[in-house]
Amino acid sequence: MSKTMPSISDAEWEVMKILWKNPPKSASQVVTELEAIVDWKPKTIRTHLDRLTKKAIIKVNRDERIYTFTPLFSEDECKRAETNSFIKRVHDGTTKSMMVQFIEDETLTKEDLQELRSLLDEKLD
């Protein structure tokens, strides 16, 4: 999407993960699914839904008796925006700096390194 992506808090990410699975979902469906993985009260979850709606990250359909929520951004769009924000904040906008640190700091298997090399080779072509 061409819209600017508002920032999403860690808690809002949890809500979005639920909404990206087979949207639209009612607030009750979101509450039920989140209660299985986090220790939040239903009111807290509804507050996150309200915040995401106000940020225009999700939309609410009020045409039905039961309101449903739908993401306005795909999971991939949100991940890209978050990654770009992280690179700007932490690595002064330099992707190479982030990649070098990741490769040096992480314990990568030989298979992981081969896969990364393959991805880099594809980028060169």
Side-chain angles (χ1 to χ4, degrees), residues 6 9 15 44 48 62 64 80 91 93 102 106 108-110:
S9 72
V15 175
T44 301
H48 290 305
R62 293 181 171 97
E64 303 290 324
R80 285 184 192 282
H91 294 280
F102 173 75
E106 291 294 316
L108 298 172
T109 66
K110 190 173 187 173

Side-chain angles (χ1 to χ4, degrees), residues 89-101:
R89 280 190 333 270
V90 178
H91 294 280
D92 297 322
T94 308
T95 303
K96 179 184 169 188
S97 168
M98 181 198 68
M99 302 257 320
V100 168
Q101 183 171 1

